[in-house]
Amino acid sequence: MKKLIKGGTLVTITSGTFVGDLLIENGKIKKIAKSINLKEKNVEIIDAAGKYVLPGFIDAHSHIGLFEEGIGFMQDGNEMTDPVTPDVRAIDAFNPYDVAIKRALNGGFTTVMIVPGSANVIGGQGAIIKFKSHIVDYCIVKSPAGLKMATGENPKRVYGEMKKMPSTRMGIAAVMRNYFMKVQDYMEKKKRALEKDGVFLDRDPKLEVGELVLKGEIPARVHAHRAQDIVTAIRIAKEFGFKIVIEHGTEAYKVADYLVEHNVPVVVGPHDFRSKIELKDLTYENVRILNEKGVLTAIMVDHPVIHLEFANVHAALAMKYGAKKEDLLKMLTINPAKILGIDDRVGSLEVGKDADIVIWDNDPFLPQARVEKMFIEGQEIKWWGE
């Protein structure tokens, strides 16, 4: 059945904000206009007068469903047994019944990139999913969608306590280089085998995903807080010729021009308390500076560090430090869509895109704003875990 959202304040993200109508058909946005009048009877009319209609929010970095609520230390987000675990997949641990997903829906989120934690230098494979089913396989937009990697304190602490490499930043960089050198050798070995015998019978799941990175099919998603770690990540990416996204980027404002020079996007956040040395220079000014400098930037709350439900309020706080509202809206919608490579499908209200649409009772940057209705690919979504 077609759905016609009538009279809402349409926050399109890419084409301005105005009061109008939006038609959903076959899971897509069929038409957007100031007024749409249909003579057909088989149309569900949704009165959005006085409401705000936005594209579903997108979180480009989340541990939701991996670090679950209410289960204590029994978490599935970090395979802390080896600093190199590229073969583990976030989808294999994702629990659609994590109650945090219900609350994320209440916060307007329709799409997330789930990634392993940052204990390991090479942490595993992330996936882009939509919150549309209790079966994770039906939620997947792309998997793998990135290879999680980590610099700095986390791997230093985890493996330093084990008296294993890496215990220093030098060691972390060396582990990265060693891994990608092995991937390069593996790719050459595979090429020669295929040329000689037409078949390759020595597959290695740890190296297969690295091959996807070196071929440019997926990016490396590099956890890096400090400016020096951001620069190291870019250095290694240049050495091996792969694409990266900086995760967290607490000190990204210090090297914003360098990020622009190398066309490296940042998923920035969270902006909570300074819980470790790497966060000493944390500031909300980061959000404003990165946008002003032209760095493609999305905002994250690093769920469960800050709950995904409150990401809109968390983002809005950056306005106190000079960030523009229109930039912040993009950082929750079209910018993460671009970083994830899915902006042809989601991230804005545009004809032809997926009908991932959220109706709010108020401006979503106000703390009292609530989600009234949510649609993913045209289907109204309500959490399945009650």
Side-chain angles (χ1 to χ4, degrees):
M1 178 185 286
K2 296 179 183 178
K3 297 179 176 69
L4 180 58
I5 300 173
K6 293 283 293 180
T9 299
L10 304 181
V11 184
T12 69
I13 304 300
T14 53
S15 301
T17 298
F18 58 92
V19 175
D21 302 346
L22 184 149
L23 179 64
I24 299 171
E25 183 177 347
N26 297 324
K28 300 287 185 180
I29 299 173
K30 181 70 174 179
K31 188 176 181 179
I32 302 173
K34 290 188 176 179
S35 180
I36 300 173
N37 295 304
L38 297 179
K39 296 180 180 179
E40 306 166 43
K41 293 182 178 179
N42 193 30
V43 178
E44 179 184 352
I45 305 296
I46 300 163
D47 183 5
K51 315 295 183 186
Y52 285 72
V53 182
L54 281 86
F57 288 158
I58 300 166
D59 183 8
H61 175 112
S62 182
H63 308 296
I64 198 166
L66 305 178
F67 291 87
E68 299 175 43
E69 287 194 30
I71 65 169
F73 71 93
M74 297 296 292
Q75 303 291 350
D76 285 317
N78 275 313
E79 179 60 42
M80 293 186 289
T81 54
D82 188 318
V84 180
T85 57
D87 45 335
V88 303
R89 299 182 181 186
I91 57 169
D92 294 329
F94 178 74
N95 180 11
Y97 288 95
D98 180 1
V99 71
I101 294 169
K102 175 185 178 181
R103 296 169 60 191
L105 292 167
N106 291 339
F109 280 87
T110 55
T111 304
V112 297
M113 169 85 168
I114 52 170
V115 291
S118 51
N120 297 344
V121 178
I122 313 291
Q125 302 166 43
I128 303 166
I129 64 169
K130 292 188 180 186
F131 293 137
K132 62 179 184 177
S133 174
H134 65 292
I135 305 295
V136 67
D137 301 70
Y138 298 156
C139 299
I140 295 170
V141 176
K142 183 177 181 181
S143 179
L147 177 60
K148 179 68 183 298
M149 296 166 53
T151 64
E153 285 185 58
N154 288 12
K156 279 181 59 178
R157 181 184 68 254
V158 170
Y159 292 96
E161 288 175 357
M162 296 181 189
K163 306 300 182 184
K164 292 174 60 175
M165 186 175 182
S167 62
T168 64
R169 283 181 163 81
M170 294 183 294
I172 289 169
V175 169
M176 288 183 181
R177 288 191 178 94
N178 290 342
Y179 173 69
F180 284 110
M181 285 180 184
K182 289 179 181 177
V183 173
Q184 287 176 327
D185 291 348
Y186 179 76
M187 291 170 66
E188 181 63 25
K189 181 180 178 181
K190 182 187 288 188
K191 179 184 173 207
R192 293 184 184 187
L194 292 173
E195 288 174 349
K196 180 181 178 182
D197 303 319
V199 64
F200 179 65
L201 299 175
D202 194 17
R203 290 183 299 167
D204 186 328
K206 287 182 178 289
L207 302 177
E208 285 283 325
V209 67
E211 183 175 352
L212 296 178
V213 175
L214 293 191
K215 285 182 174 179
E217 295 181 26
I218 61 173
R221 304 292 301 264
V222 186
H223 167 113
H225 284 284
R226 292 176 73 167
Q228 70 189 97
D229 293 328
I230 294 169
V231 173
T232 294
I234 294 172
R235 180 185 313 118
I236 292 172
K238 286 167 60 181
E239 288 176 21
F240 291 93
F242 59 80
K243 296 180 291 186
I244 66 169
V245 177
I246 296 298
E247 313 287 311
H248 303 297
T250 298
E251 295 184 6
Y253 64 93
K254 296 182 179 181
V255 290
D257 291 331
Y258 194 67
L259 289 161
V260 172
E261 178 185 345
H262 294 284
N263 196 30
V264 174
V266 179
V267 185
V268 67
H271 296 89
D272 57 336
F273 56 96
R274 294 167 179 83
S275 57
K276 54 185 180 177
I277 293 172
E278 289 179 339
L279 305 183
K280 175 174 61 72
D281 291 343
L282 182 151
T283 173
Y284 259 115
E285 297 278 354
N286 199 9
V287 176
R288 175 186 59 79
I289 292 168
L290 292 177
N291 278 288
E292 289 179 352
K293 290 285 188 176
V295 178
L296 178 59
T297 310
I299 200 161
M300 66 141 116
V301 293
D302 201 23
H303 179 98
V305 175
I306 295 174
H307 205 283
L308 196 53
E309 180 181 11
F310 305 119
N312 57 327
V313 178
H314 183 69
L317 289 172
M319 286 190 279
K320 180 178 178 180
Y321 297 84
K324 296 178 181 178
K325 182 177 180 179
E326 56 267 32
D327 288 337
L328 293 167
L329 282 169
K330 288 178 181 178
M331 292 173 74
L332 289 167
T333 54
I334 195 65
N335 286 7
K338 288 178 179 178
I339 290 169
L340 297 177
I342 56 174
D343 54 303
D344 60 328
R345 291 185 56 182
V346 294
S348 59
L349 301 182
E350 295 183 62
V351 172
K353 287 195 173 185
D354 293 353
D356 295 359
I357 298 166
V358 181
I359 300 176
W360 294 78
D361 70 354
N362 212 324
D363 182 330
F365 279 172
L366 294 175
Q368 69 268 30
R370 298 172 65 89
V371 169
E372 290 199 344
K373 283 184 181 292
M374 168 178 287
F375 303 91
I376 297 180
E377 295 171 11
Q379 298 299 312
E380 187 169 358
I381 298 298
K382 295 184 179 178
W383 193 55
W384 42 82
E386 300 291 4

